[in-house]
Amino acid sequence: RIRFYILITALLYVGSTFSQKVQVHFHGATVLSWKVAGKDVLFQSREAIYDNQAPIRAGIPIAFPHFGQWEAGPTHGFARTSRWTLEEGPQKDSNGNATAVYSLVDNEETRQLWNHKFKLTYALVFGDTAFKTTLKVKNTGESTFNFTTLLHNYFRVDDIRSVTVSGMQGLEYIDKTRDFQRFTESRELLTVGEFVDSVYGNTPSSHIIKGINGGRTLHMEKENFPDTVVWNPWETMSPNFPDLGNEEYLSFVCVEAGHVVTPVTLMPGEEFTAVQTLTL
Ligand code: TA6
């Protein structure tokens, strides 16, 4: 199968002092890379697969219409393994930001798995050191449907063992490493020193992630993504992922903004909008 790999690379000089490089793959509208001051904020596995079939183990895969194991179809749904359309851009807006809009509408394949009509719109805005993503889900059919959705962010870190994530203290979470049991988080700052797979419900609108590539701190702001998932396979689970290189678990943390604990219900014609803003 011919490896068909179209890369939209917008090399942008935004302002006088910052240049950043963005790469988005049409497969899943997967943002592969977001470089600020020459260093990537996102993680791309050395062993990621680019065959336009498998999900790409990099950047920001989009989970829709189902986060997690799905009896009707692929884990995390079909959005990240569908070919999206570039509707607008890449171009610069009036503020000098780089923008692009991708979309995905239902097709025979998706309706085989999930018999609903929808349009996903994914708008990207890249500023000097900020990256805003707006995900819209519109019910374009005649039947009400439920879905869960999530931005499965892979952040590149200097060393997972020195990463901290704020904002979870006092929250209940589902620990998928302990038979999906529910616990209450006691720590003010999360650290990762083992296999972690935690689904925190009703998280605050912002998290601070320290230890990002180049000794940097990332601020995550969320609107209408009420939940946050934190995942790292650690050494123990990494062998389960052939598209992860040796010891690469040390170089990323997944802090994922989602609406996953309770599904979203959309009546015909209704639209869901959620926003994630990442700022260094
Ligand atoms: O978001 C965490 C998670 O649901 C983990 O359970 C793990 O499965 C991870 O996603 C990666 O899933 P993937 O299907 O991309 O290999």
Side-chain angles (χ1 to χ4, degrees):
R1 191 179 161 83
I2 299 168
R3 268 177 54 149
F4 186 56
Y5 180 51
I6 293 186
L7 200 57
I8 292 286
T9 300
L11 191 64
L12 304 155
Y13 284 88
V14 177
S16 58
T17 53
F18 284 98
S19 72
Q20 59 183 353
K21 191 169 170 215
V22 174
Q23 295 179 339
V24 183
H25 202 298
F26 279 108
H27 186 61
T30 310
V31 180
L32 299 177
S33 169
W34 169 40
K35 284 185 178 171
V36 176
K39 286 182 178 290
D40 211 330
V41 180
L42 302 177
F43 167 83
Q44 213 166 323
S45 168
R46 284 195 303 270
E47 304 299 332
I49 299 165
Y50 297 95
D51 64 1
N52 285 303
Q53 291 180 48
I56 303 173
R57 181 116 15 235
I60 308 180
I62 300 169
F64 175 87
H66 188 91
F67 167 72
Q69 303 288 337
W70 188 29
E71 75 289 335
T75 299
H76 296 328
F78 46 63
R80 66 175 182 166
T81 51
S82 296
R83 186 160 195 79
W84 288 57
T85 301
L86 178 62
E87 274 204 350
E88 280 174 42
Q91 61 204 357
K92 275 192 177 179
D93 68 12
S94 54
N95 302 317
N97 297 319
T99 64
V101 179
Y102 293 82
S103 62
L104 177 69
V105 294
D106 58 284
N107 55 51
E108 254 179 65
E109 267 181 83
T110 67
R111 288 191 296 271
Q112 285 288 327
L113 297 171
W114 191 67
N115 192 18
H116 296 290
K117 295 177 70 58
F118 64 88
K119 177 172 184 178
L120 300 186
T121 306
Y122 191 46
L124 310 179
V125 179
F126 293 91
D128 277 356
T129 59
F131 167 26
K132 179 177 177 181
T133 51
T134 302
L135 179 66
K136 291 180 184 290
V137 180
K138 184 166 179 113
N139 183 339
T140 55
E142 307 297 321
S143 56
T144 296
F145 60 63
N146 299 323
F147 67 91
T148 54
T149 189
L150 167 133
L151 299 180
H152 201 295
N153 305 306
Y154 283 81
F155 295 121
R156 179 169 288 280
V157 299
D158 292 315
D159 184 327
I160 186 67
R161 294 164 295 198
S162 54
V163 166
T164 62
V165 183
S166 76
M168 313 300 184
Q169 192 169 37
L171 296 180
E172 185 176 84
Y173 67 99
I174 297 164
D175 187 338
K176 293 167 71 172
T177 72
R178 289 187 281 176
D179 299 324
F180 288 65
Q181 293 177 77
R182 290 171 185 272
F183 298 92
T184 299
E185 181 55 66
S186 59
R187 294 168 294 172
E188 183 191 349
L189 295 177
L190 296 192
T191 55
V192 177
E194 59 184 346
F195 171 34
V196 168
D197 195 351
S198 304
V199 181
Y200 292 86
N202 292 318
T203 50
S205 60
S206 66
H207 294 295
I208 296 173
I209 305 162
K210 290 187 185 286
I212 296 292
N213 185 15
R216 295 180 290 187
T217 296
L218 186 71
H219 294 250
M220 173 190 283
E221 295 293 330
K222 306 179 289 131
E223 295 163 50
N224 208 17
F225 279 132
D227 311 315
T228 307
V229 177
V230 180
W231 177 66
N232 183 283
W234 203 247
E235 189 173 15
T236 40
M237 304 301 279
S238 287
N240 298 348
F241 302 93
D243 56 350
L244 255 188
N246 263 348
E247 307 224 323
E248 281 201 302
Y249 71 93
L250 291 168
S251 303
F252 76 88
V253 66
C254 283
V255 182
E256 310 156 19
H259 198 305
V260 297
V261 176
T262 53
V264 180
T265 298
L266 278 191
M267 312 267 278
E270 279 191 323
E271 186 168 65
F272 163 88
T273 300
V275 182
Q276 170 183 271
T277 304
L278 304 173
T279 310
L280 276 180

